[in-house]
Amino acid sequence: KQAGKNGSALVTYSVTYKNGEEISREPISSEVITEPVPEIVEYGTMVTSVSRDDRISSVHYNDDGQGGYLTFVSGDTMVFSYKTICNATAYSTKGYTASGYRTEMGNIAVDPSVFPYGTRFFIQTTNGSWVYGMAVARDCGTSIKDNKIDLWFDEYSTACSWGRRDCTVYVLG
């Protein structure tokens, strides 16, 4: 947020010599010539998850353009490894995932060869109109290949409203 800058000062010392050798040095006055400017990296708190209703306010990329960090409306920040686009289908079948977890909000189905179980995400539609939020790869399915994902919703009507959409998926960590 702000580049740091070193300051400068003029310091006057009293130096005592004995037999041509310095035996003590004490500052007797100091005057600031230029004030230092502190470096501010980012305002907020680095977290590993955010509430379901939080939204991304800005995305900051590393110099290599791969990963970076997300800043949320709450002021929290979260590191991501990379961003990708996935085609997401909604479902609301109750039961258990392929990895043994209950189907619930945030437990999503993926192609485990692309996203291993346990991979964490932040997901929203590509235009930002819908935010799914925090998710973890916990399930798979026979039709889920490559960058296709299934997002679980607790209400059938909400799943129907979502339908199938392209999503921006931030792979966290």
Side-chain angles (χ1 to χ4, degrees), residues 26-144:
E26 295 181 32
I28 55 173
S29 70
S30 175
E31 177 186 348
V32 174
I33 306 297
T34 20
E35 291 287 336
V37 176
E39 179 181 25
I40 301 173
V41 176
E42 182 63 35
Y43 172 76
T45 305
M46 189 67 70
V47 297
T48 56
S49 67
V50 293
S51 69
R52 186 143 305 278
D53 61 343
D54 210 348
R55 303 290 183 259
I56 295 172
S57 62
S58 59
V59 179
H60 310 269
Y61 292 93
N62 294 334
D63 290 339
D64 64 7
Q66 290 298 308
Y69 65 95
L70 307 170
T71 301
F72 291 86
V73 173
S74 65
D76 289 337
T77 57
M78 191 177 338
V79 174
F80 70 96
S81 300
Y82 66 95
K83 174 182 96 169
T84 189
I85 304 297
C86 293
N87 187 260
T89 305
Y91 75 111
S92 64
T93 307
K94 293 185 178 15
Y96 289 88
T97 67
S99 62
Y101 291 84
R102 290 178 100 31
T103 52
E104 61 185 15
M105 282 298 283
N107 286 344
I108 68 169
V110 299
D111 178 344
S113 69
V114 176
F115 304 113
Y117 290 140
T119 302
R120 298 174 45 257
F121 311 95
F122 188 86
I123 302 170
Q124 64 183 20
T125 56
T126 53
N127 66 5
S129 62
W130 280 60
V131 175
Y132 186 78
M134 299 297 302
V136 180
R138 301 267 194 228
D139 204 1
C140 66
T142 56
S143 65
I144 303 171

